[in-house]
Amino acid sequence: MSSLSSSSLPSSAAAIVLAAGMGTRMKSALPKVMHPVLGRPMVSHVIAGAEGLGLSPVAVVIGPDMAPVQKVVAPHPTVEQTERLGTAHAVLQARALMEGVNGTILILYGDTPLIRPETLHNMITLREQSRAGVVVLGFRPDQPGAYGRLVTDAEGHLQAIVEAREATPDQLAIDLCNSGVMAVDGSALFGWLDRVDNANAKGEYYLTDIVALACADGRLCCVVEGDEDELLGVNSRVELAQAEYIAQDRMRTAALENGATLIDPETVYFSHDTVLGRDVMVGPFTVFGPGVTVADGVDIKGFCHFEQCTVASGATVGPYARLRPGAEIGVDAHIGNFVEIKKAVVETGAKVNHLTYIGDARVGSKANIGAGTITCNYDGYNKSHTDIGAGAFIGSNSSLVAPVAIGDGAIVGAGSVITGAVDADALAVARGRQESRPGWAARFRAAMQAKKK
């Protein structure tokens, strides 16, 4: 969600992202790390954080049959953990991909998408400057529960990580807990992992055991503390909803701090890449899907939905408007209630104010599109383009059957079905001729009443 320049890091660093778990508590055929937060998979947030810090290589440990994860993390390399024998075993699978890395190796988790880049930066900086063997990211939750405890000495240096099920009562009283995220000396990591055994309650190879091994080798181990919210690991749909709530709250706060106004912030929903300019006004119940950029001074009147579109400065959108992929709304353009725009350019000052569908089209500068107008862009097999010239006026309830061009300044009469080109400054009317039959309605009613007798 935010990024830091890698230039401020003391030396090169790499990352291993653990993403092999299916997440049975998610009750989903989709791998756990593929579930979205802010409109993109959780693992993509983790990868983006590593990329923002300039970490290289970034290796991802996946499980069997996880082609979707492999695809979404590309071009970063993946390695398969065929047997799930614990976190130490998972990290060991990336040994070949980390060959030659002697700086810091950051160990991250694909189901922990909310860690701030600043926190990871602090971990790497501390490890490099102190020459620590291991730096662990800790936190102090309100309910430590099943979290592993970080055992420190009088000087605050980390001595060991104890799993909750193997902790003594005194250790369980410790409120400093393990997030699982580590920054480790790359020249020593795999040597320590080779020495980890599985003599524990779960019979697994714990990554946490490398802290005691590092201390036994005389290496300093340290703790960096993070906020509980940023260290939320997602293992269920409930936790996924919690992560989304936290992420949305961050995006809303950032939008407000950067100069946008949200009338009812908790009803506005963002994606990870939403961009709002200064003095943007956002009404309630507005949803920004991925790929949306809104320039300065735009007025969004609420109950709108945006996805993969751009809105230029001074435009007005909504209420109840939908901008679909490829919509480009120009400077000072008006998009009104119950209007849908898809793969179309609405140029400067144009107005599409009511109950209208514009797809695969260009609406020229200062054109005015009447209520109920439809660009008929699809014939069941192919999409075709509609071109509406600058200053054109399209009367209400008109259908423009693509491919078709309406010239600059042309007028289309209300209720027309336009199937051919309309010249600039011409009037086009294409509808049945009105016929009036005096007295017909009265005679009809009398005949119907007579049938009821």
Side-chain angles (χ1 to χ4, degrees):
M1 286 171 253
S2 60
S3 61
L4 290 172
S5 170
S6 61
S7 62
S8 58
L9 290 175
S11 70
S12 61
I16 299 171
V17 180
L18 304 186
M22 278 300 296
T24 54
R25 289 169 56 195
M26 300 294 287
K27 297 182 180 179
S28 173
L30 192 67
K32 178 173 63 170
V33 299
M34 289 295 293
H35 286 265
V37 172
L38 290 177
R40 69 174 171 182
M42 289 190 287
V43 70
S44 295
H45 287 276
V46 179
I47 295 292
E51 290 175 338
L53 291 171
L55 306 187
S56 181
V58 177
V60 184
V61 181
I62 62 174
D65 302 318
M66 285 193 175
V69 180
Q70 191 172 32
K71 181 177 180 180
V72 81
V73 304
H76 300 290
T78 59
V79 61
E80 185 176 300
Q81 184 189 20
T82 305
E83 296 181 276
R84 293 178 173 86
L85 303 179
T87 48
H89 178 261
V91 176
L92 271 171
Q93 308 313 299
R95 186 200 299 262
L97 297 176
M98 293 291 118
E99 187 173 353
V101 177
N102 293 315
T104 299
I105 296 179
L106 202 61
I107 299 171
L108 305 169
Y109 294 82
D111 62 358
T112 308
L114 302 179
I115 300 178
R116 299 179 187 276
E118 294 85 352
T119 302
L120 301 179
H121 183 277
N122 291 341
M123 292 180 67
I124 296 170
T125 301
L126 176 60
R127 202 216 70 77
E128 299 273 346
Q129 292 180 347
S130 66
R131 298 188 178 277
V134 183
V135 174
V136 172
L137 181 55
F139 66 113
R140 299 180 189 273
D142 292 335
Q143 298 180 349
Y147 290 111
R149 303 307 202 268
L150 301 184
V151 181
T152 57
D153 62 17
E155 297 179 343
H157 297 146
L158 184 61
Q159 298 297 297
I161 304 175
V162 180
E163 298 299 324
R165 68 178 61 197
E166 295 164 354
T168 66
D170 286 344
Q171 290 170 334
L172 286 174
I174 297 171
D175 66 349
L176 183 58
C177 295
N178 176 37
S179 72
V181 176
M182 296 184 179
V184 187
D185 180 354
S187 65
L189 170 62
F190 293 100
W192 289 328
L193 290 173
D194 286 334
R195 293 160 56 189
V196 171
D197 62 39
N198 64 347
N200 52 62
K202 294 181 69 175
E204 293 184 354
Y205 296 90
Y206 292 154
L207 176 62
T208 51
D209 287 352
I210 69 171
V211 171
L213 293 170
C215 290
D217 288 348
R219 297 295 301 272
L220 177 68
C221 294
C222 304
V223 178
V224 166
E225 290 193 40
D227 295 332
E228 182 177 3
D229 281 353
E230 69 177 318
L231 300 178
L232 174 66
V234 175
N235 296 292
S236 68
R237 304 277 185 162
V238 172
E239 291 170 343
L240 182 66
Q242 292 171 345
E244 184 72 32
Y245 181 89
I246 294 167
Q248 289 292 343
D249 188 60
R250 287 185 186 178
M251 294 293 290
R252 292 163 185 152
T253 299
L256 293 166
E257 290 177 346
N258 289 331
T261 294
L262 312 181
I263 300 299
D264 187 4
E266 289 194 358
T267 67
V268 178
Y269 294 88
F270 292 97
S271 289
H272 65 98
D273 57 354
T274 304
V275 176
L276 298 185
R278 295 176 59 188
D279 297 316
V280 172
M281 181 76 69
V282 183
F285 297 100
T286 295
V287 176
F288 296 97
V292 178
T293 298
V294 179
D296 295 347
V298 171
D299 186 6
I300 299 169
K301 294 186 177 296
F303 294 91
C304 293
H305 192 284
F306 301 79
E307 185 177 1
Q308 295 178 22
C309 61
T310 60
V311 183
S313 61
T316 299
V317 182
Y320 297 99
R322 183 183 181 195
L323 303 185
R324 292 173 57 193
E328 300 178 24
I329 310 305
V331 173
D332 295 328
H334 289 198
I335 307 298
N337 51 291
F338 301 103
V339 171
E340 179 179 347
I341 310 289
K342 189 273 297 183
K343 198 178 178 182
V345 177
V346 180
E347 295 183 350
T348 301
K351 296 181 179 180
V352 188
N353 276 332
H354 318 282
L355 304 159
T356 293
Y357 171 71
I358 303 293
D360 296 278
R362 177 188 75 97
V363 178
S365 174
K366 296 186 178 180
N368 193 319
I369 310 300
T373 296
I374 297 172
T375 57
C376 306
N377 57 326
Y378 184 52
D379 62 8
Y381 297 93
N382 299 296
K383 299 287 182 70
S384 297
H385 190 263
T386 297
D387 191 86
I388 301 171
F393 181 90
I394 310 299
S396 297
N397 201 35
S398 293
S399 298
L400 310 180
V401 183
V404 68
I406 312 298
D408 293 349
I411 295 176
V412 172
S416 294
V417 178
I418 302 298
T419 59
V422 179
D423 292 337
D425 295 318
L427 168 66
V429 181
R431 60 179 181 236
R433 184 180 296 276
Q434 180 173 323
E435 180 181 346
S436 182
R437 299 183 182 184
W440 185 93
R443 294 193 296 273
F444 173 77
R445 287 191 295 272
M448 293 301 102
Q449 291 295 329
K451 287 182 179 182
K452 290 183 177 182
K453 294 180 180 179

